[in-house]
């Protein structure tokens, strides 16, 4: 891949959607140096996220993942949790206003709890409810 040495990628405020995210995933396959990925407000839902995660998996070098302002929902949180389970480098996960509810939060916590390097988790402006806030 021509992006194999890319370290930081910010495509915020681009309407990637499912098709664009699929193309991005293809372009990022084989990248072994990406440390920061910022995709704020890119029309990424659970389906689009699954395409993205296929392209950036394994997440062995990623330390910052910013998906703020995307409608990930429960399905997206479940897929993200599965992808993050083996991460040993993620320090910052930003999921501000991503349609994450209490159920989605539970799935997400299953994936991020075993990450020893995680220092920042932004779940602001999600509908976690009283159960989700625990």
């Amino acid at each position: 891949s021509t992006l194999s040495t890319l370290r930081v990628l910010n495509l915020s405020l681009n309407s990637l959607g499912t098709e664009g995210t699929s193309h991005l995933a293809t372009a990022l396959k084989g990248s072994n140096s990406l440390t920061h990925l910022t995709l704020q407000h890119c029309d990424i839902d659970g389906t689009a996220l699954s395409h993205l995660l296929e392209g950036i998996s394994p997440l062995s070098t990623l330390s910052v993942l910013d998906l703020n302002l995307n409608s990930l929902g429960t399905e997206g949180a479940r897929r993200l949790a599965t992808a993050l389970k083996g991460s040993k480098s993620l320090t910052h996960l930003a999921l501000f206003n991503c349609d994450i509810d209490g159920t989605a939060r539970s799935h997400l916590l299953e994936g991020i709890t075993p990450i020893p390097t995680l220092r920042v988790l932004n779940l602001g402006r999600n509908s976690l409810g009283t159960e989700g806030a625990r």
Side-chain angles (χ1 to χ4, degrees):
S1 165
T2 57
L3 302 177
S4 62
T5 58
L6 186 68
R7 292 186 184 275
V8 177
L9 179 60
N10 184 339
L11 292 174
S12 295
L13 299 172
N14 283 285
S15 295
L16 297 177
T18 302
E19 185 178 351
T21 307
S22 182
H23 291 302
L24 176 61
T26 300
L28 291 175
K29 273 196 173 151
S31 173
N32 56 3
S33 60
L34 190 65
T35 60
H36 290 68
L37 181 58
T38 303
L39 299 172
Q40 292 185 10
H41 209 294
C42 289
D43 296 327
I44 297 173
D45 61 9
T47 302
L49 182 64
S50 68
H51 293 299
L52 176 67
L53 293 172
E54 288 172 17
I56 62 173
S57 186
L59 303 172
S60 57
T61 59
L62 201 62
S63 60
V64 175
L65 180 57
D66 184 342
L67 295 171
N68 289 338
L69 302 166
N70 286 290
S71 298
L72 304 181
T74 303
E75 189 57 35
R78 182 180 294 127
R79 290 174 176 169
L80 185 58
T82 301
L84 292 176
K85 276 189 177 170
S87 175
K88 297 192 179 0
S89 60
L90 192 69
T91 61
H92 185 114
L93 180 59
L95 300 171
F96 176 87
N97 200 11
C98 286
D99 294 333
I100 295 174
D101 61 13
T103 303
R105 172 216 156 259
S106 297
H107 293 297
L108 189 61
L109 287 179
E110 289 174 20
I112 65 171
T113 300
I115 302 175
T117 54
L118 190 63
R119 299 291 176 257
V120 177
L121 174 62
N122 184 350
L123 289 174
R125 198 152 193 194
N126 284 289
S127 301
L128 302 178
T130 53
E131 183 62 29
R134 292 183 188 184

